[in-house]
Amino acid sequence: MIPLRPSLAPLAVLLVATSCAAAPRVTPGAAPLVAVLCYHDVSDDPGAELQTVPARFLRAQIEACKQTGWTFLSLADLLERQRKGTLPPRSMVLTFDDGYRSFYDQALPVLESEHVPATIAIITSYTDHPPANLPPLMSWDQIRAAEHAGIEVASHTHDLHHYETDNPVHDTAPGVSARLWLDATKRYETREEYRSRIRADLAESQRVLTARLGHPVTALVWPYGIHNDMARGLADQDGFHTTLALGWRDAEPRDFELHCLPRIMVTRDLRFAGASLSWLRQPQGTMRAAAVSLDDLYDPDMTVCRARLDAMIVRLRAIGATHVLLDVCSNPAADGRLEQVYMPGSQAPMRADLWTLVAAKLANAKLRVWVRAPSMNLTWAWQRHPEWRLGADPHPIANSSFGESADELEARTLKRWPTRLSPELPAVRQAAADFFTDMAVYLPIDGVLFDDDAVLLPGERLASRPVATPAERAQAVDGLITGIEAAVRAWRPECRFGRVGGSEGVLSEGASSETAQNFGQMLQSMDRIVVRADAGDPAFARDPQRWVQVVGRRAIERWRADEQVRTATTVKRGIPAAALQRVPPLLLELPIAGHALDGTPYAGRLPALLATARRAGFESFSIGPVTPANESAIPPRVLEAAGR
């Protein structure tokens, strides 16, 4: 066992947290700010990865945060004070992942001199057998010495800190999130096999740590920040009662209830000095999205399919896309009847296991991928259960927000979405949740976009409630969406959600009597809202420019009003308003195919329409669908130009 260096005075006696500046005032009853930071290697090498920081950076960060009122706590002290309700206004915990030797050599002296506690996360299989491609790791003697000096030790799992094969074409994903593809038997890992694999790893990590340290540890850091409900439950069973993830945000009361705290990844380009808290929240970035249907890429011959995909990626780059909204359902007849899907699962027949392959290639091309899917137009369930279908209202409401009759609205919506289910039925909600659970289990998604089938038309009624107010109809649809979100978050806790809406909801105060969409509620609950211009909408076809001006301006006005309320509420927690500034979460989606009534193709009008939307206040845009047939008609760099 290596001796303790004389300079390492035990930090255990320093766990009464320290702060140099006077604590900032916080509104009574407001939740205190809690920030958990995630460090990795500590080195002066300027060519190292961005998350590798010099020791002087660590010291400067600590000093800057002390000056702005942050109190440094150990993880155990944070949890105890939170339980007792005695947290200071601003609490900070430092964590160091992977167990690099640089923590012992460079970080620990800084922490000791600054009287700041910390937690180190150890990958137990790496300590005795370090991978050749990593910087040097601490030995067990050094880990014990650090613990003796007051550093808390957490598990970083035993052997889950790597990527595993997650589809038939051998793409990979983090071990905790991946449902493994078992090549020998040409099948996916079952739910119970997944459970057994995660449970065995966590149990082995706890066994090794207990043997090496002389006691069990109670905290676990998820590799790559990936976790889910099942994994967290298994961790708790093995004694890891608190887990840490990622998320680039402060910890909220609900995170403590889940016993899983988000952390902010520290990189050399973060700036902690000054009053700004821009490092505390990940900025809501802009999106320049292209809608893509897998029906346009699929071919039974995978050589053809790959060639189409490669050409599509070239085109997406050429138009300036940053994101892809990728359909998961198959509808080659373009009749709105979705009878097959492009992913494995237990709910709908699979046409081909294609979504993960395409998403992986898009991600390699630096394109972020959201899955675009229906929530009510589930044809397979509609066919099996006629009793789940929406009913016909004998007294439809003849109303229109933008010059379109109720009959016209119903005709174009039913053409696009003919097999929708009644959203308030428990069986429908379960079927939809099961469908989206399959997505969350098998697909590497950045976000979920609920398509514009989640509407109730004037001539439709709820199956169990023939008479319902617009607000009740909207609540039925919103309840379905909320249940789906919960099902997805069980497997993808940090997943983001968006929803497609039309002009009717934007222009209606409260719930729209035409579509049962409540735009105000969507602003409060969704990460993104796609304001969709339908090529078949007579109002859009008559005057696309005016449609964008009127609908776009109104959407931005409503967002700004909602943002003022949101900001005022959050400022009560002590976060400066400047740290909350974000771009509008609204995307304007414009069609490529079709013509306006004056005969001009929509594709050719994209630059002018996007410029109009930009002047109205939009900063994010979507066009689509982009297909091999129409991609040549899209003006080059059109999305990139719109984002300037």
Side-chain angles (χ1 to χ4, degrees):
M1 183 175 183
I2 63 173
L4 286 174
R5 292 196 305 248
S7 62
L8 295 182
L11 285 174
V13 299
L14 303 173
L15 293 185
V16 176
T18 57
S19 174
C20 293
R25 295 180 62 185
V26 175
T27 301
L33 284 179
V34 175
V36 184
L37 304 190
C38 170
Y39 280 89
H40 286 82
D41 198 12
V42 180
S43 169
D44 291 321
D45 180 5
E49 295 181 346
L50 193 60
Q51 64 263 33
T52 297
V53 303
R56 63 180 179 276
F57 179 103
L58 172 62
R59 188 182 297 277
Q61 176 259 313
I62 291 172
E63 291 174 349
C65 289
K66 285 180 178 179
Q67 290 298 322
T68 51
W70 289 91
T71 299
F72 287 86
L73 302 175
S74 70
L75 179 59
D77 198 15
L78 174 78
L79 297 173
E80 179 65 13
R81 292 195 187 199
Q82 195 277 335
R83 185 183 65 81
K84 293 180 177 179
T86 59
L87 281 174
R90 294 185 177 186
S91 302
M92 182 173 287
V93 174
L94 302 186
T95 67
F96 293 77
D97 284 6
D98 304 338
Y100 294 111
R101 189 182 300 168
S102 63
F103 174 83
Y104 186 81
D105 293 335
Q106 299 195 48
L108 191 52
V110 172
L111 297 171
E112 181 191 37
S113 65
E114 295 288 343
H115 306 311
V116 170
T119 297
I120 53 175
I122 304 301
I123 307 168
T124 47
S125 68
Y126 284 11
T127 306
D128 291 325
H129 305 285
N133 62 339
L134 288 181
L137 301 177
M138 284 189 288
S139 67
W140 283 111
D141 284 345
Q142 290 169 326
I143 294 169
R144 285 189 287 266
E147 186 178 52
H148 184 70
I151 299 299
E152 292 179 89
V153 178
S155 168
H156 207 15
T157 74
H158 182 68
D159 195 29
L160 290 175
H161 203 292
H162 51 80
Y163 278 56
E164 298 276 10
T165 301
D166 72 334
N167 68 20
V169 295
H170 301 137
D171 292 317
T172 60
V176 174
S177 65
R179 191 62 66 89
L180 303 188
W181 172 256
L182 307 176
D183 215 29
T185 53
K186 305 300 179 188
R187 65 177 179 87
Y188 284 94
E189 180 181 45
T190 67
R191 180 186 178 94
E192 287 309 310
E193 287 170 335
Y194 171 85
R195 182 196 297 272
S196 296
R197 174 169 62 88
I198 302 300
R199 177 65 187 273
D201 184 278
L202 300 183
E204 179 62 8
S205 181
Q206 185 68 277
R207 185 194 69 77
V208 172
L209 287 166
T210 301
R212 293 290 191 170
L213 302 178
H215 62 84
V217 303
T218 59
L220 179 140
V221 174
W222 295 110
Y224 313 108
I226 303 294
H227 59 103
N228 55 56
D229 283 2
M230 180 184 289
R232 292 197 309 274
L234 295 172
D236 187 65
Q237 292 175 27
D238 280 304
F240 302 116
H241 303 309
T242 299
T243 65
L244 303 176
L246 291 172
W248 201 349
R249 61 180 177 86
D250 50 308
E252 300 176 348
R254 174 166 170 75
D255 299 311
F256 286 95
E257 294 171 6
L258 292 175
H259 306 290
C260 184
L261 304 182
R263 298 181 300 159
I264 298 161
M265 176 83 77
V266 176
T267 60
R268 293 193 297 274
D269 57 3
L270 283 189
R271 297 292 178 264
F272 292 92
S276 171
L277 294 181
S278 58
W279 55 267
L280 185 64
R281 297 282 182 91
Q282 185 175 22
Q284 179 90 325
T286 60
M287 291 177 67
R288 300 193 300 272
V292 174
S293 171
L294 286 176
D295 284 335
D296 295 317
L297 301 177
Y298 174 68
D299 191 279
D301 184 341
M302 287 305 296
T303 303
V304 174
C305 188
R306 289 176 185 272
R308 290 176 179 171
L309 176 57
D310 290 341
M312 177 65 74
I313 289 173
V314 170
R315 191 58 186 149
L316 292 173
R317 285 173 165 167
I319 64 176
T322 60
H323 290 68
V324 175
L325 310 178
L326 190 62
D327 283 341
V328 73
C329 294
S330 176
N331 184 31
D335 60 359
R337 295 177 181 271
L338 310 178
E339 298 181 352
Q340 294 180 308
V341 295
Y342 285 105
M343 67 174 192
S346 59
Q347 302 304 304
M350 183 174 70
R351 187 179 189 191
D353 192 355
L354 187 59
W355 203 97
T356 55
L357 180 153
V358 173
K361 294 211 69 172
L362 292 170
N364 288 337
K366 309 302 182 186
L367 292 162
R368 303 294 297 272
V369 183
W370 282 47
V371 61
R372 184 172 188 150
S375 55
M376 287 171 57
N377 193 64
L378 309 183
T379 307
W380 55 90
W382 189 85
Q383 292 171 334
R384 297 170 193 162
H385 297 279
E387 71 277 14
W388 293 359
R389 302 175 185 181
L390 287 167
D393 188 343
H395 304 291
I397 303 169
N399 187 30
S400 175
S401 296
F402 208 92
E404 182 180 23
S405 72
D407 287 342
E408 288 175 322
L409 172 64
E410 184 163 326
R412 68 178 170 90
T413 304
L414 292 180
K415 181 179 179 181
R416 181 171 165 82
W417 304 116
T419 60
R420 286 170 305 115
L421 304 171
S422 197
E424 88 290 4
L425 297 177
V428 169
R429 294 188 175 188
Q430 186 61 57
D434 290 344
F435 172 50
F436 279 84
T437 294
D438 283 344
M439 286 186 218
V441 166
Y442 290 105
L443 304 186
I445 51 180
D446 293 318
V448 170
L449 178 63
F450 299 108
D451 220 333
D452 59 346
D453 63 310
V455 295
L456 284 171
L457 303 172
E460 295 176 322
R461 60 174 173 78
L462 299 171
S464 65
R465 199 183 314 164
V467 179
T469 66
E472 290 170 336
R473 289 155 64 87
Q475 288 170 4
V477 178
D478 292 346
L480 173 73
I481 298 294
T482 300
I484 292 172
E485 290 177 350
V488 172
R489 285 199 176 101
W491 291 97
R492 306 277 177 177
E494 295 297 331
C495 183
R496 294 191 173 189
F497 296 93
R499 188 168 165 189
V500 180
S503 61
E504 300 82 13
V506 172
L507 299 175
S508 297
E509 294 298 333
S512 166
S513 60
E514 300 160 272
T515 60
Q517 286 189 333
N518 188 325
F519 188 76
Q521 177 61 32
M522 290 163 65
L523 283 172
Q524 296 176 24
S525 61
M526 292 287 128
D527 299 300
R528 299 282 183 179
I529 301 175
V530 176
V531 180
R532 183 175 185 271
D534 190 336
D537 181 351
F540 180 74
R542 280 193 297 271
D543 193 341
Q545 198 79 7
R546 180 173 178 270
W547 191 99
V548 171
Q549 287 174 338
V550 174
V551 178
R553 185 183 302 113
R554 182 57 181 151
I556 291 293
E557 288 173 352
R558 296 190 65 178
W559 170 75
R560 285 173 177 158
D562 180 79
E563 191 70 358
Q564 289 177 354
V565 175
R566 186 193 300 263
T567 299
T569 300
T570 311
V571 165
K572 292 180 180 179
R573 297 185 58 207
I575 305 177
L580 300 172
Q581 292 177 354
R582 58 176 185 151
V583 301
L586 305 174
L587 287 79
L588 178 68
E589 182 170 273
L590 296 172
I592 296 172
H595 297 73
L597 291 182
D598 63 8
T600 58
Y602 289 134
R605 301 184 70 148
L606 286 176
L609 294 177
L610 290 170
T612 298
R614 182 77 179 181
R615 289 192 295 272
F618 276 84
E619 297 187 37
S620 296
F621 309 93
S622 174
I623 61 173
V626 179
T627 72
N630 68 21
E631 61 182 23
S632 61
I634 306 172
R637 316 308 305 177
V638 65
L639 284 173
E640 181 178 326
R644 293 196 184 111

